[in-house]
Amino acid sequence: MTRSSAMNPAIRKALDKLGLLRDIDLVLHLPLRYEDETRITPIAKTRDGQMAQIEATVVSNEVQLRPRRQLVVVVEDGTGQCQLRFLNFYPSQQKSMAIGAVLRIQGEVRGGFWGKQMVHPQLRKSDAPLPTSLTPVYPVGKGLPQAYLRRMIVTALHRTRLQETLPEPVWRAIGPPPVLAQPGLSDVQRWWPLQQALQFLHHPQPEVAIQTLEDQSHPAWQRLKVEELLAQQLSQWRVRQLREQFAAPALTPVRQPGQLALHEQLLGQIAFDLTKAQQRVVAEIAADIALERPMHRLLQGDVGSGKTVVAAMAACICMDSGWQCALMAPTEILAEQHFRKLSDWLSPLLAARGKQVAWLAGAQKKKAREHMLALVQSGEAALVVGTHAVIQENVEFDRLGLVIIDEQHRFGVEQRLSLRDRQRSKNASATSAAEATAAGTVSEAPTALADSVQTAQSEALEPHMLMMSATPIPRTLAMTYYADLSVSTIDELPPGRSPVVTRLIADSRRDELIERLQHQVSQGRQAYWVCPLIEESEALDLSNATATFEDLQAAMPQIQMGLLHSRMPAAQKQEVMDRFSAGELGILVATTVIEVGVDVPNASLMVVEHAERFGLSQLHQLRGRVGRGSAKSACILLYSTGDSGKLSDTAKDRLRAMAQTNDGFEIARRDLEIRGPGEFMGARQSGAALLRFADLEADQHLLEWARELAPLMLRDHPHLAEEHMQRWLGGRWDYLKA
Ligand code: ADP
Ligand code: MG
């Protein structure tokens, strides 16, 4: 597309925002709905509420001043009369509607007390020919006029000759795509060429059953869904292929004569036995990192299922193999907690081997940081724990073999990308081996992609990756977005947990709640009180943690309380956490900084203020902070209906789901239902190609077909596959490789 430099900046901005950069983007920007301007309806035949086009002669035209200034025009077409009202109008408009003028008028018909009426209808000259296809109505952003976008799309459609990437030979082996069976249609009729499908969707013939466009069952729509799903599947397979070409260190523990392996010693060190599920996932991970290709595994397990100790076991196996391990967490509090726990468990064992655990975080003193960096670089730090400061500049590992990312859904895609790229270039010590295996593996497809593989490969061994998350990925999402990811699941909680009881309480009963809380805490229980925002935001009128802290302290003067929010200096945060862990504080008032990972088993009560403002998985994470010990635990979701006096439907759905189930998988399923995949993916949103047309649930049959075809197409028709991905994913490709 040629975008003239004279283009109005507001329009340019709106186009950028919609991602309409290339002709192909415009061509793939499909209408939200259509208007039928192909026919003219006699006024007498129009119905109340109908969008209609009439053609009629002006019989009166006057400006009324009451109840407010407005132009009122009456038109007549021989079958009846209709009144047109304009609250804002130009003199020229008034003139064009002079008595006797014949106009073509479009708008919503209302059958009011004064007869039929249209408010602010659109007017056209009556001598223009009627369009022969339905008029598309596109999603537009602020500053982008519908008519302007329509013209751009027409031009783009005109200029674009789409090469067919799915001709029959490509799918012959597995049969045609299972597009919705329409009675009486042959396969050929159901399977539309792409060019024709797009042309049709932009400008459908008026005879089309509009219903089939709305429910997207029309063959043209089905074709597009197949296209999109296939692009997803191709890219996922490609990512997997790329990864499998990288070499990784085979992590197999080397046992010193007469000494237990590190992970065996760890098992002796901890106070509990691993659950069956923990043992199983440890075995899965161990088997995977023993291979010379990089593991890319998600460890999912509900909050409190014990992922940390599994991570520690994996780290031990890595270190015993003579490689370093990095463990990253999204917040400083969580990272610090991991550091302490892992140091407790492992420092003595590592010391006997001349190694230690290093700590890296953003808010670290320069000297301390430099010391740690030197340990990491020399390899003396066998395990490095930290926030993502670990992945930021200046961290050079001696031999990084395994990266563990806790609460991976909290990390942005960009961060993961940067980590990978960095490790590839940093793992210099083992390059020669990698080079040897890499030579000759990339043979065909002289694409940019293949080039990048070659460069990366000759540089380094790639570390294995273990990502941990309490937010399980529903099956359909796993099939599309994480098709290249192996998954291990901890499906069992450690013994002796009692389920958390969840109650919804209206904010109006706050005093009552505080009274009960006070009583419970005076009996030795500990509670979290979670507030949504740190600073006063007048617009949202959210509780502010500081004010809440003061209020609560005033209401319960005899109880020791602490305050924790993300703007506090790290040392101060730590001090508060320590006092709460040690049982000195009865109540910890906190923002969502405690959302992930925080582990204080004695805390058994949680109040979440303005619960209606939180997302479902966030609430589930928060609730996961209690119910970690054997004490009976409760989570109170305090909601406020605000000025409107009632909760929104989605807020209601979320709160209800929380009260009904403690099961993280069920919560994730409902979350997907309530929010849709786009938001569900969180981090992947940024730049990731989310499905625009296909629906994971409704189009599962198409998804299965695309899944089957993708590897075959990559093998037998690599150029078409590449073309297909470029067309659909364009620049978003990189993100998918994360
Ligand atoms: P999460 O999966 O949410 O990260 P953690 O690793 O923080 O869970 O574990 C939650 C709590 O359960 C911790 O206090 C941990 O020490 C304890 N725990 C983990 N595994 C077991 C087990 N097999 N038996 C008893 N307690 C366990
Ligand atoms: Mg955890």
Side-chain angles (χ1 to χ4, degrees):
M1 177 174 61
T2 49
R3 301 178 69 185
S4 79
S5 49
M7 186 184 278
N8 167 332
I11 291 185
R12 183 190 302 271
K13 205 166 150 203
L15 288 170
D16 282 347
K17 201 157 174 202
L18 290 168
L20 303 179
L21 306 172
R22 310 167 296 168
D23 269 352
I24 183 68
D25 302 323
L26 285 162
V27 166
L28 296 178
H29 191 65
L30 293 185
L32 280 176
R33 57 186 177 83
Y34 304 91
E35 276 166 10
D36 189 352
E37 301 176 357
T38 64
R39 56 192 136 211
I40 288 177
T41 311
I43 292 177
K45 288 244 168 102
T46 59
R47 285 170 287 107
D48 186 28
Q50 183 189 358
M51 285 295 299
Q53 174 166 253
I54 58 177
E55 198 165 279
T57 311
V58 176
V59 294
S60 84
N61 171 328
E62 62 170 358
V63 176
Q64 290 181 356
L65 293 173
R66 254 171 268 255
R68 53 178 287 194
R69 192 176 129 85
Q70 52 184 309
L71 173 63
V72 179
V73 173
V74 177
V75 297
E76 195 187 82
D77 71 350
T79 71
Q81 284 198 341
C82 183
Q83 193 183 58
L84 316 179
R85 285 181 179 272
F86 300 85
L87 298 173
N88 308 298
F89 56 94
Y90 298 106
S92 61
Q93 256 177 324
Q94 190 180 359
K95 223 184 274 165
S96 70
M97 290 181 275
I99 292 176
V102 181
L103 301 172
R104 193 174 291 160
I105 305 150
Q106 273 163 22
E108 186 183 333
V109 180
R110 297 199 197 143
F113 181 69
W114 302 105
K116 289 187 173 166
Q117 206 182 65
M118 288 187 189
V119 179
H120 282 244
Q122 287 192 36
L123 303 179
R124 297 239 160 85
K125 292 224 180 71
S126 64
D127 49 6
L130 283 173
T132 55
S133 58
L134 300 181
T135 308
V137 180
Y138 294 107
V140 285
K142 198 166 144 248
L144 180 60
Q146 183 68 235
Y148 187 93
L149 182 60
R150 271 183 201 149
R151 280 197 304 276
M152 283 188 82
I153 290 177
V154 167
T155 315
L157 266 173
H158 225 75
R159 263 202 300 247
T160 310
R161 282 290 147 263
L162 291 172
Q163 191 201 348
E164 180 61 55
T165 51
L166 284 175
E168 198 261 354
V170 170
W171 44 259
R172 189 180 297 140
I174 67 163
V179 298
L180 283 189
Q182 293 204 341
L185 289 186
S186 70
D187 279 351
V188 179
Q189 284 167 317
R190 271 192 256 143
W191 183 236
W192 284 33
L194 179 62
Q195 181 93 27
Q196 185 190 340
L198 282 168
Q199 189 69 42
F200 181 86
L201 289 175
H202 285 287
H203 302 288
Q205 302 311 303
E207 305 79 64
V208 67
I210 214 97
Q211 174 63 25
T212 63
L213 292 182
E214 274 166 11
D215 68 12
Q216 307 188 337
S217 65
H218 191 279
W221 262 118
Q222 296 281 306
R223 167 74 212 232
L224 246 72
K225 290 169 179 245
V226 170
E227 287 272 314
E228 182 177 48
L229 290 166
L230 181 64
Q232 274 288 332
Q233 292 302 309
L234 285 171
S235 63
Q236 293 288 346
W237 270 95
R238 205 71 168 81
V239 170
R240 172 178 282 223
Q241 286 180 342
L242 288 182
R243 197 160 38 77
E244 283 175 357
Q245 288 167 349
F246 285 114
L251 303 179
T252 41
V254 185
R255 197 186 310 225
Q256 303 303 326
Q259 195 182 34
L260 285 174
L262 203 47
H263 68 277
E264 292 163 335
Q265 290 180 311
L266 172 63
L267 286 179
Q269 193 78 270
I270 52 182
F272 47 80
D273 293 326
L274 296 189
T275 61
K276 282 244 157 46
Q278 284 169 321
Q279 290 172 18
R280 174 173 45 75
V281 299
V282 168
E284 285 167 6
I285 295 164
D288 211 358
I289 58 179
L291 303 176
E292 277 178 344
R293 87 181 131 62
M295 174 177 79
H296 195 58
R297 184 172 288 273
L298 177 71
L299 171 60
Q300 58 182 25
D302 209 347
V303 282
S305 62
K307 296 183 287 296
T308 316
V309 67
V310 172
M313 290 289 284
C316 284
I317 294 171
C318 170
M319 293 186 281
D320 249 351
S321 320
W323 289 78
Q324 288 168 293
C325 174
L327 174 70
M328 308 190 312
T331 67
E332 193 127 358
I333 290 185
L334 184 52
E336 174 110 25
Q337 183 183 290
H338 281 331
F339 174 67
R340 292 183 170 220
K341 194 171 236 175
L342 292 171
S343 297
D344 274 0
W345 285 340
L346 298 173
S347 284
L349 305 176
L350 285 174
R353 292 163 166 83
K355 305 273 185 191
Q356 54 175 299
V357 184
W359 163 245
L360 277 176
Q364 206 164 16
K365 291 239 164 58
K366 190 154 174 267
K367 205 140 175 221
R369 181 174 167 84
E370 272 164 9
H371 175 62
M372 290 297 171
L373 288 174
L375 291 178
V376 178
Q377 195 171 9
S378 70
E380 189 178 326
L383 175 61
V384 185
V385 181
T387 58
H388 33 248
V390 168
I391 64 174
Q392 283 161 5
E393 64 242 64
N394 297 334
V395 186
E396 275 186 52
F397 290 87
D398 178 33
R399 291 153 63 82
L400 181 59
L402 172 66
V403 176
I404 303 175
I405 305 178
D406 195 13
E407 308 292 348
Q408 74 91 29
H409 59 284
R410 294 284 301 258
F411 283 91
V413 171
E414 287 83 356
Q415 281 164 340
R416 268 190 285 150
L417 272 177
S418 103
L419 175 77
R420 286 189 147 206
D421 293 350
R422 288 178 37 69
Q423 290 336 316
R424 269 178 206 145
S425 52
K426 288 281 154 64
N427 253 351
S429 59
T431 42
S432 49
E435 259 158 11
T437 47
T441 44
V442 184
S443 51
E444 56 137 28
T447 59
L449 219 52
D451 287 347
S452 72
V453 177
Q454 219 144 16
T455 2
Q457 259 185 344
S458 54
E459 266 170 19
L461 285 185
E462 176 155 316
H464 297 279
M465 287 252 205
L466 178 64
M467 291 163 272
M468 307 199 287
S469 175
T471 308
I473 306 178
R475 197 181 92 87
T476 42
L477 276 182
M479 273 169 74
T480 39
Y481 297 103
Y482 288 106
D484 71 320
L485 199 66
S486 321
V487 179
S488 289
T489 306
I490 307 182
D491 51 7
E492 174 189 5
L493 291 179
R497 300 275 168 86
S498 56
V500 181
V501 176
T502 301
R503 295 248 181 285
L504 310 182
I505 295 185
D507 195 48
S508 51
R509 291 171 56 198
R510 195 186 172 93
D511 291 346
E512 205 180 311
L513 170 67
I514 287 178
E515 211 167 289
R516 284 200 347 231
L517 188 64
Q518 185 165 16
H519 177 72
Q520 302 265 6
V521 172
S522 64
Q523 310 271 304
R525 299 181 72 177
Q526 284 181 283
Y528 297 98
W529 184 292
V530 183
C531 334
L533 260 195
I534 323 171
E535 279 163 347
E536 197 80 56
S537 153
E538 284 172 7
L540 292 171
D541 189 29
L542 291 173
S543 309
N544 130 354
T546 316
T548 306
F549 172 73
E550 282 161 8
D551 285 356
L552 290 174
Q553 188 68 84
M556 299 179 263
Q558 72 283 38
I559 289 177
Q560 289 290 321
M561 287 187 199
L563 171 64
L564 193 69
H565 63 69
S566 58
R567 302 280 170 86
M568 276 161 62
Q572 208 177 325
K573 279 188 212 167
Q574 194 52 51
E575 193 199 316
V576 174
M577 271 320 285
D578 285 349
R579 293 183 61 205
F580 189 61
S581 300
E584 284 172 37
L585 301 176
I587 298 180
L588 182 63
V589 179
T591 57
T592 52
V593 287
I594 63 147
E595 175 192 343
V596 289
V598 169
D599 186 30
V600 180
N602 191 50
S604 59
L605 297 169
M606 165 162 291
V607 179
V608 182
E609 201 164 347
H610 277 297
E612 77 283 356
R613 298 210 186 265
F614 289 86
L616 194 44
S617 54
Q618 206 178 9
L619 286 173
H620 183 62
Q621 280 279 349
L622 282 169
R623 180 169 60 184
R625 301 309 114 221
V626 293
R628 308 199 136 222
S630 48
K632 258 182 95 178
S633 299
C635 174
I636 310 294
L637 302 178
L638 205 52
Y639 64 89
S640 149
T641 53
D643 293 340
S644 71
K646 55 179 196 238
L647 288 174
S648 74
D649 285 348
T650 51
K652 232 183 272 169
D653 285 349
R654 285 197 299 261
L655 295 179
R656 202 174 293 143
M658 284 298 293
Q660 283 168 353
T661 178
N662 275 314
D663 175 351
F665 281 82
E666 179 61 17
I667 297 267
R669 201 186 57 71
R670 302 241 193 137
D671 203 20
L672 182 64
E673 219 171 72
I674 297 171
R675 296 198 290 168
E679 285 189 58
F680 183 86
M681 297 311 292
R684 283 230 158 187
Q685 265 175 45
S686 59
L690 291 167
L691 296 175
R692 281 192 279 168
F693 305 127
D695 178 297
L696 290 181
E697 295 298 332
D699 302 321
Q700 204 158 344
H701 56 301
L702 302 178
L703 176 59
E704 308 269 2
W705 183 86
R707 223 164 113 79
E708 199 179 337
L709 182 64
L712 302 177
M713 186 169 178
L714 282 167
R715 190 190 64 198
D716 301 334
H717 305 273
H719 292 286
L720 286 177
E722 198 65 41
E723 165 89 28
H724 191 92
M725 278 186 279
Q726 276 303 327
R727 173 178 298 162
W728 280 88
L729 305 174
R732 289 168 298 189
W733 226 114
D734 254 358
Y735 286 102
L736 292 168
K737 288 189 270 177

